[in-house]
Amino acid sequence: MLATNDDEIMDEEAGRILFAQSCSFIAGVTGDGKIPVSHLPEIAFAGRSNVGKSSLVNALTGRSTLARVSKTPGRTRQLNFFELGRRLGLVDLPGYGFAKAPKGEIRAWTEMMRTYLSGRANLRRVCILIDSRHGTKPSDIEFMDLLDETAVSYQLVLTKTDQINQAEGEDRKREFAALARHGALHPRLISTSARTGAGIALLRAELAALALPAGLALPAANA
């Protein structure tokens, strides 16, 4: 059954309400740290360095909290955990694709990712951000293969779409269609621009559908 315009408006409003809630920093975890326990559904954001991850999450939440924490010196190689409105967990994953990084660092990063992805029962989806100007790269495909291996659902989100023309946009869609072999890939590609706001309401609605219903939000820690 196809969604009506009213259904889409309601979904987008639910997403707006959720992402307007308070977003609290919970923990930052490095390779040798302990991943915090959470009973909330969780969404993780991943992508190559400079893909526009911080800008996108800022646009989603309407605040700079996540970007500010992630830019703190020493935190570029850790998982940053947040709680949104006591209904949804958000995880900022370290950027990948550093071909010139030391092999030991790459190995430690890969093991940390594998540990998190394979043992996180409440992880509902990973949003893989793709710079629309450049399309998918080998490091993106490698990360998708890892998610296929660990059976984690993931969705591709194009960033910076205000900086490409229509022909380049069609190229990105063709690239996406060619990725159908990836079993854990969500069938919907979302195109966004943090600068213009394009696609932000749609992405909020997609992610809000994975959160706890408002009536089931976890109580505050001091409640």
Side-chain angles (χ1 to χ4, degrees):
M1 181 176 179
L2 294 177
T4 65
N5 289 338
D6 286 345
D7 291 332
E8 292 175 352
I9 291 172
M10 289 177 64
D11 289 344
E12 290 188 0
E13 178 63 7
R16 185 195 66 78
I17 291 172
L18 173 60
F19 278 88
Q21 304 301 305
S22 62
C23 188
S24 304
F25 176 66
I26 303 302
V29 180
T30 57
D32 56 354
K34 184 177 181 181
I35 294 175
V37 175
S38 176
H39 300 291
L40 291 174
E42 202 162 77
I43 306 296
F45 296 88
R48 300 191 308 272
S49 178
N50 299 320
V51 75
K53 179 154 54 72
S54 294
S55 295
L56 178 70
V57 177
N58 287 349
L60 285 172
T61 62
R63 55 179 65 83
S64 60
T65 303
L66 201 148
R68 183 171 63 250
V69 171
S70 299
K71 289 181 179 178
T72 301
R75 285 183 170 165
T76 57
R77 275 298 185 239
Q78 69 179 30
L79 287 74
N80 291 307
F81 291 80
F82 300 81
E83 282 188 1
L84 179 64
R86 307 294 294 173
R87 293 174 53 200
L88 186 66
L90 304 178
V91 185
D92 182 18
L93 301 180
Y96 57 77
F98 289 93
K100 296 181 180 179
K103 291 183 179 180
E105 181 178 332
I106 295 174
R107 184 164 52 251
W109 182 92
T110 302
E111 286 305 310
M112 181 171 63
M113 288 296 98
R114 190 181 298 277
T115 297
Y116 168 67
L117 296 170
S118 62
R120 200 65 169 176
N122 60 319
L123 180 58
R124 296 291 182 265
R125 188 171 301 169
V126 175
C127 291
I128 301 181
L129 277 53
I130 305 293
D131 189 327
S132 62
R133 300 170 301 176
H134 309 301
T136 52
K137 299 295 183 182
S139 56
D140 297 312
I141 303 302
E142 290 173 7
F143 191 64
M144 292 170 66
D145 288 340
L146 175 60
L147 293 170
D148 287 332
E149 179 185 333
T150 52
V152 174
S153 175
Y154 56 97
Q155 186 166 18
L156 297 192
V157 178
L158 294 177
T159 62
K160 307 179 183 180
T161 57
D162 58 295
Q163 300 182 38
I164 62 173
N165 58 38
Q166 184 175 351
E168 291 169 320
E170 292 301 320
D171 287 343
R172 299 294 86 82
K173 291 178 182 178
R174 283 191 288 271
E175 287 179 11
F176 178 74
L179 296 172
R181 66 177 179 83
H182 290 273
L185 175 62
H186 190 280
R188 189 175 199 173
L189 174 69
I190 297 184
S191 300
T192 68
S193 166
R195 189 180 69 83
T196 68
I200 298 300
L202 176 59
L203 183 54
R204 284 176 180 154
E206 283 267 341
L207 302 184
L210 302 173
L212 288 179
L216 296 179
L218 294 183
N222 58 358

